[in-house]
Amino acid sequence: MTTSVRGDSHIGRRQLLKIGLTGTALLASAGGIATLSGCAADRPAESFVQLRDSDLPLLRRLIPVVLDGSLPTTDQQQAIDTILQSIDSALNHMPPHMLKQFMQLFDLLASSITRGPTTGVWRSWDKADDQTVQAFLQRWENSSFDLFQQGYNALTKPILIAWYTAPQSWGSCGYPGPPAI
Amino acid sequence: MSIKDPFAEGLARGWKAHNASLLTEDLTLEADIAIVGSGAGGATSAEILSAAGYKVLLIEEGGLFTSTDFKMQESDAYPTLYQESAGRASKDGAVLILQGRAVGGTTLVNWTSSFRTPEHTLQHWASEHAVIGHSREQMAPWFARMEQRLGIARWGLPPNDNNDVLRKGCEQLGLHWAVIPRNVRGCWNLGYCGLGCPTNAKQSMLVTCIPSLLEQGGELLYLARAQRLLLEGDRVSGIECLAMDERCVAPTGHRIRVRARHYILAGGGINTPAILMRSDAPDPHKRAGKRTYLHPTTSAWGQFEQTINPFYGAPQSIYSDHFLWPDDSATGRMGYKLEVPPLQPGFTASMLGDFGQPHAALMKQLPNSNMMIALLRDGFHPDSAEGTVQLRDDGSPVLDYQLTDYTWEAVRRSHLTMLELQFAAGARAAAPLHNDAELVTSMQAARRMIDGLDQRRYKTRLGSAHVMGGCAMGEDPSQAVTDSLGRHHQLENLSIHDGSLFPTSVGANPQLSIYALTAKLSSLLAERLAG
Ligand SMILES: Cc1cc2nc3c(=O)[nH]c(=O)nc-3n(C[C@H](O)[C@H](O)[C@H](O)COP(=O)(O)OP(=O)(O)OC[C@H]3O[C@@H](n4cnc5c(N)ncnc54)[C@H](O)[C@@H]3O)c2cc1C
Ligand code: SF4
């Protein structure tokens, strides 16, 4: 609890995040901390246009937690890959200010310096279990700091949209797809 | 598929349309009248002015997509047809703001509800905002003209089951409800109006006023962002546009200089004031971007025994105005209009809060669910929030919009109303869209829960598809950006013809208000320019 409070106030003052249908994040100087720590490679990862290697472990852990109950249990990796491609394409169509905000949010979460205090995830993302990731999302959702409440939306919405706009998800929500015309 | 694509055919016949993303050098274009924005206000103006004999150039930031491109897929539509990839939000991120960005503007993705401006609203503008000449009687012929132009008529088929929940609830409780007039011709009742109509049934600007402009020899320039107006004294001498890449994300580096006799801004709420602000247009009373209003929209989710399939069928066909003017006046408690939205799964998933199992459980109920929305009528009462447009460092606009206690009171009331209607219509379980809300199974439990909800930003899930104001019209230059005819108070050859003219929110879905007003302003402008 102490660490989380410290983390909260630390970033809360620096704040500023924005969310829309796809969720947007602007971390004015919080992103700066992460960038200083040198974690952000600006090159996209292989087979992606925008997502970088450093963004992938985080997203690979978030996706199955956010979509728990809807993702298929068989071929789950394939579904996650589809979602990553779709998020990448969404990022690639965002206006520059919004893309930058997302990248800053990802940097904040990927950096070993800022990750622990802001998320409570002290070990690297690929070692975080489901409960830890859930607890992190719930803490952000219910935080009294704007930054975290906005960050919660900015992280969950793009994943929800990427999945539920993909035909693979439609069986899980009883949507037969668009009619043939 | 044998559906015709009249726009593609027109282009093949030689309509003049410049795709700025393909430019390999800078370009200069000349016209009698240059219009920025090809949505409701811009395209209506373009058709009328070109019919009056003027050479009109219509400038659009977004891309050109026509019926063959519309595959009823959310994944295609949001990144291409919406402002900021459908991720626009208020500055603090608390209110999602949906607006269109493509040739045809927001009319390309809107849900076809077509209402005349309420009389209370017109009277309020006249009495409180020095708007003259737009009384109900004076506007009536313009509404009639645009209703005819766009095939606006009460929806003739039965409502889909999503809309029918609203009808049934109102019937049960003895409240007002009515059938919505829609701007469609030969509608297939598919339900995908928000993703671009694949059959050209929706009478958006893409299939009506823009083709008629081009048929009359007018020109279209798209993937071109009007960056700023060039000013000489109290006149506009040109517009500087940036060519955008084909994603409409980054400027390509080429510029288009536009010269005309008269200029019209019709970029819609938020965007039009931003052009004035980027241009350092004279604004002695600092009015540009002020008084921007949304219809902050609250939502409620109801689960039913029977199948509803809320993703199919004409998206909006029933409304209720029972709660719109609670004290029978514009300035009493805040009122709201009740409607339903279409529920394609991506949109639905992003509206519902929560994640993981609880979210998946709600989504599983999608075929049996209804969503109801309340559009809150902001901007009439002195205690309403005043939305203000600001520019980011990169010149892009953002709306600062803070709800006041006056609005929050209506948010809570609207949650109660919607759940009451859903239960009256037979819902098994329902919940307002609020991060702390849970599904409840009775009105008694609903009351208890809603009374206890912490109504505040981020917790309450809010959105708005209607942006109004920011370049208010009115005769008092210390309050308004333009006069009642849309003429800029300081710049002689500049007019504004879009939803940013409204001094408050409309209190009804705004498209017909915009069509009728801009048709009138354009007809008068055509006469003035001739004289
Ligand atoms: C999902 C959705 C559903 C809706 N449903 C309804 C409905 O059922 N009924 C109803 O009445 N209303 C509805 N609306 C709202 C309605 O369509 C809009 O209020 C209306 O179209 C606004 O008209 P406008 O002329 O002000 O601007 P718009 O129609 O938004 O057009 C403005 C255009 O200008 C372009 N532009 C902006 N800035 C620049 C620039 N600098 N350079 C070049 N181009 C620029 C934009 O890209 C855009 O294409 C809906 C809106 C949405 C998003
Ligand atoms: S409901 Fe009618 S207007 Fe809307 S997309 Fe379908 S055919 Fe087009």
Side-chain angles (χ1 to χ4, degrees), chain B residues 352-430:
Chain B
L352 298 172
D354 231 328
F355 65 92
Q357 299 272 355
H359 186 275
L362 292 175
M363 287 302 291
K364 258 190 198 94
Q365 289 295 320
L366 178 61
N368 294 67
S369 296
N370 151 264
M371 184 122 53
M372 213 173 274
I373 50 177
L375 287 66
L376 276 58
R377 179 174 56 70
D378 214 348
F380 291 82
H381 192 279
D383 293 341
S384 299
E386 175 175 333
T388 304
V389 177
Q390 303 172 349
L391 295 182
R392 296 190 188 87
D393 291 346
D394 66 358
S396 63
V398 61
L399 180 66
D400 187 19
Y401 205 84
Q402 308 285 338
L403 274 66
T404 59
D405 289 343
Y406 170 74
T407 317
W408 287 117
E409 185 274 333
V411 167
R412 193 182 301 278
R413 224 172 343 112
S414 72
H415 281 165
L416 280 168
T417 298
M418 291 190 287
L419 264 73
E420 194 152 25
L421 284 162
Q422 288 171 322
F423 283 121
R428 276 185 291 141

Coordinates of all heavy atoms in Angstrom, one line a residue, chain B residues 352-430:
Chain B
L352 N -19.1 -0.3 -22.6 CA -19.3 -1.0 -21.3 C -18.0 -0.9 -20.5 O -16.9 -1.1 -21.0 CB -19.6 -2.5 -21.5 CG -20.9 -2.8 -22.3 CD1 -21.0 -4.3 -22.7 CD2 -22.1 -2.4 -21.5
G353 N -18.1 -0.7 -19.2 CA -16.9 -0.6 -18.4 C -16.3 -2.0 -18.1 O -16.8 -3.0 -18.7
D354 N -15.4 -2.1 -17.2 CA -15.0 -3.4 -16.7 C -14.1 -4.1 -17.7 O -13.9 -3.7 -18.8 CB -16.2 -4.3 -16.3 CG -16.0 -4.8 -14.9 OD1 -14.9 -5.0 -14.5 OD2 -17.0 -5.0 -14.2
F355 N -13.6 -5.2 -17.3 CA -12.7 -6.1 -18.2 C -12.8 -7.5 -17.7 O -13.4 -7.8 -16.6 CB -11.3 -5.5 -18.2 CG -10.6 -5.7 -16.8 CD1 -9.8 -6.8 -16.5 CD2 -10.7 -4.7 -15.9 CE1 -9.2 -6.9 -15.3 CE2 -10.1 -4.8 -14.6 CZ -9.3 -5.9 -14.3
G356 N -12.2 -8.4 -18.4 CA -12.1 -9.8 -18.0 C -13.5 -10.4 -17.9 O -14.4 -10.0 -18.7
Q357 N -13.7 -11.4 -17.0 CA -14.9 -12.2 -16.9 C -16.2 -11.3 -16.9 O -17.1 -11.6 -17.6 CB -14.9 -13.1 -15.7 CG -13.7 -14.1 -15.8 CD -14.1 -15.4 -16.5 OE1 -15.3 -15.6 -16.9 NE2 -13.2 -16.3 -16.7
P358 N -16.3 -10.3 -16.0 CA -17.5 -9.6 -15.9 C -17.9 -8.9 -17.3 O -19.0 -8.9 -17.7 CB -17.3 -8.5 -14.9 CG -16.1 -9.0 -14.1 CD -15.3 -9.8 -15.0
H359 N -16.8 -8.4 -18.0 CA -17.1 -7.7 -19.3 C -17.5 -8.8 -20.3 O -18.5 -8.6 -21.0 CB -15.8 -7.0 -19.7 CG -16.0 -6.2 -21.0 ND1 -15.9 -6.8 -22.2 CD2 -16.3 -4.9 -21.2 CE1 -16.1 -5.9 -23.2 NE2 -16.3 -4.7 -22.6
A360 N -16.9 -9.9 -20.3 CA -17.2 -11.0 -21.2 C -18.7 -11.5 -21.0 O -19.4 -11.8 -21.9 CB -16.2 -12.1 -21.1
A361 N -19.1 -11.5 -19.7 CA -20.4 -11.9 -19.4 C -21.5 -11.0 -20.0 O -22.5 -11.4 -20.5 CB -20.6 -12.1 -17.9
L362 N -21.2 -9.7 -19.9 CA -22.1 -8.7 -20.5 C -22.1 -8.9 -22.0 O -23.2 -8.9 -22.6 CB -21.6 -7.3 -20.2 CG -21.7 -6.8 -18.7 CD1 -21.1 -5.4 -18.5 CD2 -23.2 -6.8 -18.2
M363 N -20.9 -9.0 -22.6 CA -20.9 -9.1 -24.1 C -21.6 -10.4 -24.6 O -22.2 -10.4 -25.6 CB -19.4 -9.1 -24.5 CG -18.7 -7.8 -24.5 SD -19.5 -6.5 -25.4 CE -19.2 -7.0 -27.1
K364 N -21.6 -11.4 -23.8 CA -22.3 -12.7 -24.1 C -23.8 -12.4 -24.3 O -24.5 -13.0 -25.0 CB -22.1 -13.7 -23.1 CG -21.1 -14.8 -23.5 CD -21.0 -16.0 -22.6 CE -19.7 -16.6 -22.9 NZ -18.6 -16.2 -22.0
Q365 N -24.3 -11.4 -23.5 CA -25.7 -11.1 -23.6 C -26.1 -10.1 -24.7 O -27.2 -9.7 -24.8 CB -26.1 -10.4 -22.2 CG -26.1 -11.4 -21.1 CD -27.2 -12.5 -21.2 OE1 -28.3 -12.2 -21.7 NE2 -26.8 -13.7 -20.9
L366 N -25.1 -9.8 -25.5 CA -25.3 -8.7 -26.5 C -26.6 -9.0 -27.4 O -27.4 -8.1 -27.6 CB -24.1 -8.6 -27.4 CG -24.2 -7.6 -28.6 CD1 -24.5 -6.2 -28.1 CD2 -22.9 -7.6 -29.4
P367 N -26.8 -10.2 -27.9 CA -28.0 -10.4 -28.7 C -29.3 -10.2 -28.0 O -30.3 -10.0 -28.6 CB -27.9 -11.9 -29.1 CG -26.5 -12.3 -28.9 CD -26.0 -11.4 -27.8
N368 N -29.2 -10.2 -26.6 CA -30.5 -10.1 -25.8 C -30.5 -8.7 -25.2 O -31.3 -8.5 -24.2 CB -30.5 -11.1 -24.7 CG -30.7 -12.5 -25.3 OD1 -29.8 -13.0 -26.0 ND2 -31.8 -13.1 -25.1
S369 N -29.7 -7.8 -25.6 CA -29.6 -6.5 -24.8 C -30.0 -5.3 -25.6 O -30.0 -5.3 -26.8 CB -28.1 -6.4 -24.3 OG -27.8 -7.4 -23.4
N370 N -30.4 -4.3 -24.8 CA -30.8 -3.0 -25.3 C -29.8 -2.0 -24.7 O -29.4 -2.2 -23.6 CB -32.2 -2.7 -24.9 CG -32.5 -1.2 -24.8 OD1 -32.5 -0.7 -23.7 ND2 -32.8 -0.6 -25.8
M371 N -29.5 -1.0 -25.5 CA -28.8 0.2 -24.8 C -29.8 1.4 -25.0 O -30.3 1.6 -26.1 CB -27.5 0.4 -25.4 CG -26.7 1.5 -24.7 SD -25.1 1.2 -24.0 CE -24.1 0.5 -25.1
M372 N -29.9 2.2 -24.0 CA -30.7 3.4 -24.1 C -29.7 4.6 -23.9 O -28.7 4.4 -23.1 CB -31.8 3.4 -23.1 CG -33.0 4.1 -23.6 SD -34.3 3.9 -22.4 CE -35.0 2.3 -22.8
I373 N -29.9 5.7 -24.5 CA -29.1 6.9 -24.3 C -29.9 8.1 -24.0 O -31.0 8.2 -24.5 CB -28.1 7.2 -25.5 CG1 -28.9 7.2 -26.8 CG2 -27.0 6.2 -25.6 CD1 -28.0 7.6 -28.0
A374 N -29.4 8.9 -23.1 CA -30.0 10.2 -22.8 C -29.1 11.3 -23.3 O -27.9 11.3 -22.9 CB -30.3 10.3 -21.3
L375 N -29.6 12.2 -24.2 CA -28.7 13.3 -24.7 C -29.0 14.5 -23.9 O -30.1 15.1 -24.0 CB -29.1 13.5 -26.2 CG -28.6 12.5 -27.2 CD1 -29.2 11.1 -27.0 CD2 -28.8 13.0 -28.6
L376 N -28.1 14.9 -23.1 CA -28.3 16.1 -22.2 C -28.2 17.4 -22.9 O -27.2 17.6 -23.6 CB -27.4 16.0 -20.9 CG -27.8 15.0 -19.8 CD1 -28.0 13.6 -20.3 CD2 -26.8 15.1 -18.7
R377 N -29.1 18.2 -22.6 CA -29.2 19.5 -23.4 C -28.4 20.5 -22.6 O -28.8 21.2 -21.7 CB -30.7 19.9 -23.3 CG -31.1 21.1 -24.0 CD -32.7 21.2 -24.0 NE -33.3 21.1 -22.7 CZ -33.2 22.1 -21.7 NH1 -32.5 23.1 -21.9 NH2 -33.9 21.9 -20.6
D378 N -27.1 20.7 -23.0 CA -26.2 21.6 -22.3 C -26.2 23.0 -22.9 O -26.5 23.1 -24.1 CB -24.8 21.0 -22.3 CG -24.0 21.3 -21.0 OD1 -24.5 22.1 -20.2 OD2 -23.0 20.7 -20.8
G379 N -25.9 23.9 -22.1 CA -25.6 25.3 -22.6 C -26.7 26.3 -22.4 O -26.6 27.5 -22.8
F380 N -27.9 25.9 -21.9 CA -29.0 26.8 -21.8 C -29.0 27.5 -20.5 O -29.3 28.7 -20.4 CB -30.3 26.1 -21.9 CG -30.6 25.5 -23.3 CD1 -30.0 24.3 -23.8 CD2 -31.4 26.2 -24.2 CE1 -30.3 23.8 -25.0 CE2 -31.6 25.8 -25.5 CZ -31.1 24.6 -25.9
H381 N -28.6 26.8 -19.4 CA -28.7 27.4 -18.1 C -27.4 28.1 -17.8 O -26.3 27.6 -18.2 CB -29.0 26.2 -17.1 CG -29.3 26.7 -15.7 ND1 -28.4 27.1 -14.8 CD2 -30.5 26.8 -15.1 CE1 -29.0 27.4 -13.7 NE2 -30.3 27.2 -13.8
P382 N -27.4 29.1 -17.0 CA -26.1 29.8 -16.7 C -25.1 28.9 -16.0 O -23.9 29.1 -16.0 CB -26.5 31.0 -15.8 CG -28.0 31.0 -15.8 CD -28.6 29.9 -16.5
D383 N -25.6 27.9 -15.3 CA -24.7 27.0 -14.6 C -24.2 25.8 -15.4 O -23.6 24.9 -14.9 CB -25.4 26.4 -13.3 CG -25.7 27.4 -12.3 OD1 -25.0 28.5 -12.4 OD2 -26.5 27.2 -11.4
S384 N -24.5 25.8 -16.7 CA -24.0 24.8 -17.6 C -22.5 25.0 -17.8 O -22.0 26.1 -17.6 CB -24.6 25.0 -19.0 OG -26.0 24.8 -19.0
A385 N -21.9 23.9 -18.1 CA -20.4 23.9 -18.4 C -20.2 24.8 -19.7 O -21.0 24.7 -20.6 CB -19.9 22.5 -18.7
E386 N -19.1 25.5 -19.8 CA -18.8 26.1 -21.0 C -17.6 25.4 -21.6 O -16.5 25.5 -21.1 CB -18.5 27.6 -20.8 CG -18.0 28.2 -22.2 CD -17.8 29.7 -22.1 OE1 -18.4 30.4 -21.3 OE2 -17.0 30.2 -22.9
G387 N -17.8 24.7 -22.7 CA -16.7 24.1 -23.4 C -15.8 25.1 -24.1 O -16.4 26.0 -24.7
T388 N -14.5 24.9 -24.1 CA -13.6 25.9 -24.7 C -12.6 25.1 -25.6 O -12.0 24.2 -25.1 CB -12.8 26.7 -23.6 OG1 -13.8 27.3 -22.7 CG2 -11.9 27.7 -24.2
V389 N -12.5 25.6 -26.8 CA -11.5 24.9 -27.7 C -10.1 25.5 -27.4 O -10.0 26.7 -27.3 CB -11.9 25.1 -29.2 CG1 -10.8 24.5 -30.1 CG2 -13.3 24.5 -29.4
Q390 N -9.1 24.7 -27.3 CA -7.7 25.1 -27.2 C -6.9 24.4 -28.2 O -7.3 23.5 -28.8 CB -7.2 24.7 -25.8 CG -8.1 25.3 -24.6 CD -7.7 24.7 -23.3 OE1 -6.9 23.8 -23.2 NE2 -8.2 25.3 -22.2
L391 N -5.7 25.0 -28.5 CA -4.8 24.4 -29.5 C -3.7 23.7 -28.7 O -3.1 24.3 -27.8 CB -4.2 25.5 -30.4 CG -5.2 26.2 -31.4 CD1 -4.4 27.2 -32.3 CD2 -6.0 25.2 -32.2
R392 N -3.3 22.5 -29.2 CA -2.1 21.8 -28.7 C -0.9 22.5 -29.3 O -1.0 23.3 -30.3 CB -2.2 20.4 -29.0 CG -3.3 19.6 -28.4 CD -3.0 18.1 -28.6 NE -4.1 17.3 -28.2 CZ -5.2 17.0 -29.0 NH1 -5.2 17.4 -30.2 NH2 -6.2 16.3 -28.5
D393 N 0.3 22.1 -28.9 CA 1.5 22.6 -29.4 C 1.6 22.4 -31.0 O 2.1 23.2 -31.7 CB 2.7 22.0 -28.8 CG 2.9 22.4 -27.4 OD1 2.2 23.4 -27.0 OD2 3.6 21.7 -26.6
D394 N 1.0 21.3 -31.4 CA 1.1 21.0 -32.9 C 0.0 21.7 -33.6 O -0.2 21.4 -34.8 CB 1.1 19.5 -33.1 CG -0.2 18.8 -32.7 OD1 -1.1 19.5 -32.2 OD2 -0.3 17.6 -32.9
G395 N -0.8 22.5 -33.0 CA -1.9 23.2 -33.7 C -3.2 22.4 -33.8 O -4.2 23.0 -34.3
S396 N -3.2 21.2 -33.3 CA -4.5 20.5 -33.4 C -5.3 20.9 -32.2 O -4.8 21.3 -31.1 CB -4.2 18.9 -33.3 OG -3.6 18.6 -32.1
P397 N -6.7 20.9 -32.4 CA -7.5 21.4 -31.3 C -7.9 20.3 -30.3 O -8.0 19.1 -30.6 CB -8.8 21.8 -32.1 CG -8.8 20.9 -33.3 CD -7.4 20.5 -33.6
V398 N -8.3 20.8 -29.1 CA -8.8 19.9 -28.1 C -9.8 20.7 -27.3 O -9.7 21.9 -27.1 CB -7.7 19.4 -27.2 CG1 -6.9 20.5 -26.5 CG2 -8.2 18.4 -26.2
L399 N -10.9 20.0 -26.9 CA -12.0 20.7 -26.2 C -11.9 20.5 -24.7 O -11.9 19.4 -24.2 CB -13.3 20.1 -26.7 CG -14.6 20.7 -26.0 CD1 -14.7 22.2 -26.4 CD2 -15.8 19.9 -26.4
D400 N -11.8 21.6 -24.0 CA -11.8 21.5 -22.5 C -13.3 21.6 -22.1 O -14.0 22.5 -22.4 CB -11.0 22.7 -22.0 CG -10.9 22.6 -20.5 OD1 -11.0 21.5 -19.9 OD2 -10.6 23.7 -19.9
Y401 N -13.8 20.5 -21.5 CA -15.2 20.4 -21.2 C -15.4 19.9 -19.8 O -15.1 18.7 -19.5 CB -15.9 19.5 -22.2 CG -17.4 19.8 -22.4 CD1 -17.8 20.8 -23.2 CD2 -18.3 19.0 -21.7 CE1 -19.1 21.0 -23.4 CE2 -19.7 19.3 -21.9 CZ -20.1 20.3 -22.8 OH -21.4 20.5 -23.0
Q402 N -15.8 20.7 -18.8 CA -16.0 20.2 -17.5 C -17.4 20.2 -17.1 O -18.1 21.2 -17.2 CB -15.2 21.2 -16.5 CG -13.8 21.5 -16.8 CD -12.9 20.3 -16.5 OE1 -13.3 19.5 -15.6 NE2 -11.8 20.2 -17.1
L403 N -18.0 19.1 -16.7 CA -19.4 19.1 -16.3 C -19.5 19.8 -15.0 O -18.7 19.7 -14.1 CB -19.9 17.6 -16.2 CG -20.4 17.0 -17.5 CD1 -19.3 16.9 -18.5 CD2 -21.1 15.7 -17.3
T404 N -20.6 20.5 -14.8 CA -20.9 21.2 -13.6 C -21.9 20.3 -12.8 O -22.5 19.4 -13.3 CB -21.5 22.6 -13.8 OG1 -22.7 22.4 -14.6 CG2 -20.6 23.4 -14.6
D405 N -22.1 20.7 -11.5 CA -23.1 20.0 -10.7 C -24.5 20.0 -11.3 O -25.3 19.1 -11.2 CB -23.2 20.6 -9.3 CG -21.9 20.3 -8.5 OD1 -21.2 19.4 -8.9 OD2 -21.6 21.0 -7.5
Y406 N -24.8 21.1 -12.0 CA -26.1 21.2 -12.6 C -26.2 20.1 -13.6 O -27.3 19.5 -13.7 CB -26.1 22.6 -13.4 CG -27.3 22.8 -14.3 CD1 -28.5 23.0 -13.8 CD2 -27.1 22.8 -15.7 CE1 -29.6 23.2 -14.7 CE2 -28.1 23.0 -16.5 CZ -29.4 23.2 -16.0 OH -30.4 23.4 -16.9
T407 N -25.2 19.8 -14.4 CA -25.2 18.7 -15.3 C -25.3 17.3 -14.6 O -26.0 16.4 -15.0 CB -24.0 18.7 -16.3 OG1 -23.8 20.1 -16.7 CG2 -24.3 17.9 -17.5
W408 N -24.4 17.2 -13.6 CA -24.4 15.9 -12.9 C -25.7 15.5 -12.3 O -26.1 14.3 -12.2 CB -23.3 15.9 -11.8 CG -21.9 15.8 -12.3 CD1 -21.0 16.8 -12.2 CD2 -21.3 14.8 -13.1 NE1 -19.8 16.4 -12.8 CE2 -20.0 15.2 -13.4 CE3 -21.8 13.6 -13.6 CZ2 -19.1 14.4 -14.1 CZ3 -20.9 12.8 -14.3 CH2 -19.6 13.2 -14.6
E409 N -26.5 16.5 -11.9 CA -27.8 16.2 -11.3 C -28.7 15.5 -12.4 O -29.4 14.5 -12.2 CB -28.5 17.5 -10.8 CG -29.8 17.3 -10.2 CD -31.0 17.3 -11.1 OE1 -30.9 17.9 -12.2 OE2 -32.0 16.7 -10.8
A410 N -28.5 16.0 -13.7 CA -29.3 15.4 -14.8 C -28.8 14.1 -15.1 O -29.5 13.2 -15.6 CB -29.3 16.4 -16.0
V411 N -27.5 13.9 -15.0 CA -26.9 12.6 -15.3 C -27.5 11.5 -14.4 O -28.0 10.5 -14.9 CB -25.3 12.6 -15.0 CG1 -24.8 11.2 -15.0 CG2 -24.6 13.5 -16.1
R412 N -27.6 11.8 -13.1 CA -28.3 10.9 -12.2 C -29.7 10.6 -12.6 O -30.2 9.5 -12.6 CB -28.1 11.4 -10.8 CG -28.4 10.3 -9.7 CD -28.3 10.9 -8.3 NE -27.0 11.4 -7.9 CZ -26.0 10.7 -7.5 NH1 -26.1 9.4 -7.4 NH2 -24.9 11.3 -7.2
R413 N -30.4 11.7 -12.8 CA -31.8 11.6 -13.2 C -32.0 10.7 -14.4 O -32.9 9.9 -14.5 CB -32.4 13.0 -13.4 CG -33.8 13.2 -12.8 CD -34.3 14.7 -12.8 NE -33.4 15.7 -13.1 CZ -33.4 16.5 -14.2 NH1 -34.3 16.2 -15.2 NH2 -32.5 17.5 -14.4
S414 N -31.1 10.9 -15.4 CA -31.3 10.2 -16.6 C -31.0 8.7 -16.4 O -31.7 7.9 -17.0 CB -30.3 10.7 -17.7 OG -29.0 10.4 -17.4
H415 N -30.1 8.4 -15.5 CA -29.9 7.0 -15.2 C -31.1 6.3 -14.7 O -31.5 5.2 -15.1 CB -28.7 6.8 -14.2 CG -27.4 6.9 -14.8 ND1 -26.2 7.1 -14.0 CD2 -26.9 6.9 -16.1 CE1 -25.2 7.2 -14.8 NE2 -25.6 7.1 -16.0
L416 N -31.8 7.0 -13.7 CA -33.0 6.5 -13.2 C -34.1 6.3 -14.2 O -34.7 5.3 -14.3 CB -33.5 7.5 -12.1 CG -32.9 7.4 -10.7 CD1 -33.3 8.6 -9.9 CD2 -33.3 6.0 -10.0
T417 N -34.3 7.3 -15.1 CA -35.3 7.3 -16.1 C -35.0 6.1 -17.0 O -36.0 5.3 -17.3 CB -35.2 8.5 -17.0 OG1 -35.5 9.7 -16.2 CG2 -36.2 8.5 -18.1
M418 N -33.8 5.9 -17.5 CA -33.5 4.8 -18.4 C -33.8 3.5 -17.9 O -34.3 2.6 -18.5 CB -32.1 5.0 -19.0 CG -32.0 6.2 -19.9 SD -30.5 6.3 -20.8 CE -29.3 6.7 -19.5
L419 N -33.4 3.3 -16.6 CA -33.6 1.9 -16.0 C -35.1 1.7 -15.8 O -35.6 0.6 -16.0 CB -32.8 1.8 -14.7 CG -31.5 1.0 -15.0 CD1 -30.5 1.9 -15.7 CD2 -30.9 0.4 -13.7
E420 N -35.8 2.8 -15.4 CA -37.2 2.6 -15.2 C -37.9 2.2 -16.6 O -38.7 1.3 -16.6 CB -37.8 3.9 -14.8 CG -39.2 3.8 -14.2 CD -39.5 4.9 -13.2 OE1 -38.9 6.0 -13.2 OE2 -40.4 4.6 -12.3
L421 N -37.4 2.8 -17.6 CA -38.0 2.4 -19.0 C -37.6 1.0 -19.3 O -38.5 0.2 -19.9 CB -37.5 3.4 -20.0 CG -38.2 4.8 -20.0 CD1 -37.3 5.8 -20.8 CD2 -39.6 4.7 -20.6
Q422 N -36.4 0.6 -19.1 CA -36.0 -0.7 -19.4 C -36.7 -1.8 -18.6 O -37.2 -2.8 -19.2 CB -34.5 -0.9 -19.2 CG -33.7 -0.1 -20.3 CD -32.2 -0.1 -20.0 OE1 -31.8 0.1 -18.9 NE2 -31.4 -0.1 -21.1
F423 N -36.9 -1.5 -17.3 CA -37.7 -2.5 -16.6 C -39.2 -2.5 -17.0 O -39.8 -3.6 -17.1 CB -37.6 -2.2 -15.1 CG -36.3 -2.7 -14.5 CD1 -35.4 -1.8 -13.8 CD2 -35.9 -4.0 -14.5 CE1 -34.2 -2.2 -13.3 CE2 -34.7 -4.4 -14.0 CZ -33.8 -3.5 -13.4
A424 N -39.7 -1.3 -17.3 CA -41.1 -1.3 -17.8 C -41.3 -2.1 -19.1 O -42.3 -2.6 -19.3 CB -41.5 0.2 -17.9
A425 N -40.2 -2.1 -19.9 CA -40.3 -2.8 -21.1 C -39.9 -4.3 -21.0 O -39.9 -5.0 -21.9 CB -39.3 -2.2 -22.1
G426 N -39.7 -4.7 -19.7 CA -39.5 -6.1 -19.5 C -38.1 -6.6 -19.3 O -37.8 -7.8 -19.3
A427 N -37.2 -5.7 -19.0 CA -35.8 -6.1 -18.8 C -35.7 -7.0 -17.6 O -36.4 -6.9 -16.6 CB -34.9 -4.9 -18.6
R428 N -34.8 -8.1 -17.7 CA -34.5 -9.0 -16.6 C -33.5 -8.3 -15.7 O -33.5 -8.5 -14.5 CB -33.9 -10.3 -17.1 CG -34.9 -11.3 -17.5 CD -34.2 -12.6 -17.9 NE -33.4 -12.4 -19.1 CZ -32.2 -12.9 -19.3 NH1 -31.6 -13.7 -18.4 NH2 -31.6 -12.7 -20.5
A429 N -32.6 -7.6 -16.3 CA -31.5 -6.9 -15.5 C -31.1 -5.7 -16.2 O -31.2 -5.7 -17.5 CB -30.3 -7.9 -15.3
A430 N -30.6 -4.7 -15.5 CA -30.1 -3.5 -16.2 C -29.1 -2.8 -15.3 O -29.0 -3.0 -14.1 CB -31.3 -2.6 -16.4

